[in-house]
Amino acid sequence: MTSNQTLIIGANSDIAKAIALQLINISNHRLIVISRDLSAYANFDTERITGIEIENYHPDNIEHAITKIPCSQQQPITQVFICHGLLHKNNIQPEKRIEDFDVTCFQTIMEANAITPMLWIQKLIPLLPRKHPCKLIVFSARVGSISDNHLGGWYSYRASKAALNMMLKNTAIELARRAKNIKVISFHPGTTDTPLSKPFQKNVPADKLFSSEFVANQLLTIVDSCAFDNSLSYLDWQGKTIPW
């Protein structure tokens, strides 16, 4: 009997935990969660969830974590959610003007939002079974759209998400030749009530500030309806296409 599995990377984010909670209620569905902190999963059904702790997201640790992922023809991974995202921390804040641009901050943001997701994808592709359909969802952002940028600012965050989108585009083109069973989705969750957006919620209308549970439900519905078309989809929380 085949038992489908979902892999959630960066599983300690609020949206990731909401995705996990909704999926674990599906009969016979198994979860694999990877994070530096898995304490939130202590009360989950441990018979259907595999937790893999990782010290940090350095390439060697990513490669080691990949070796721990259970995957077979009987238990294929049919969904992957890569939920990494960094907008601010400690002394890092989105730039309001070009004078605020800082090389070290830029490198930190780029590593978290673009490089780390691609390292996971690089190591995951050989692992995913070719006989089963699989959807690969990576958290991006609308501000990664170049044509939709009308406000400026946020240099590092915008650049990191634009870079991520370009690399996901490359990935989708390559997989169209190598692994037609994998669909790649770049997802913008909208402004969600999480620590990432907390300092920037003041001017967000109440009906545009979403709960993690709402975003998780929207995303799972969107993923379920996405066709395997050998191309990258860049979608928002409504399932609408975002311009590049």
Side-chain angles (χ1 to χ4, degrees), residues 147-163:
S147 61
D148 192 57
N149 181 4
H150 305 292
L151 296 176
W154 291 30
Y155 287 85
S156 298
Y157 190 71
R158 286 183 185 276
S160 69
K161 293 300 187 178

Side-chain angles (χ1 to χ4, degrees), residues 63-138:
E63 190 162 7
H64 182 63
I66 291 289
T67 66
K68 297 181 179 181
I69 295 175
C71 183
S72 66
Q73 293 299 332
Q74 286 70 44
Q75 292 186 338
I77 295 172
T78 56
Q79 294 181 125
V80 178
F81 295 91
I82 300 179
C83 305
H84 291 299
L86 176 62
L87 175 57
H88 61 88
K89 73 170 186 176
N90 301 329
N91 296 324
I92 298 177
Q93 293 293 329
E95 306 94 340
K96 293 182 179 179
R97 54 182 189 166
I98 198 166
E99 286 86 351
D100 298 330
F101 183 80
D102 178 85
V103 171
T104 301
C105 294
F106 175 80
Q107 291 171 334
T108 300
I109 294 288
M110 187 65 73
E111 180 175 5
N113 293 342
I115 296 173
T116 296
M118 289 307 300
L119 289 174
W120 282 113
I121 293 171
Q122 179 189 49
K123 300 302 181 183
L124 274 172
I125 294 303
L127 180 69
L128 299 176
R130 295 296 189 265
K131 293 184 179 180
H132 296 274
C134 180
K135 291 177 179 177
L136 174 60
I137 303 95
V138 185

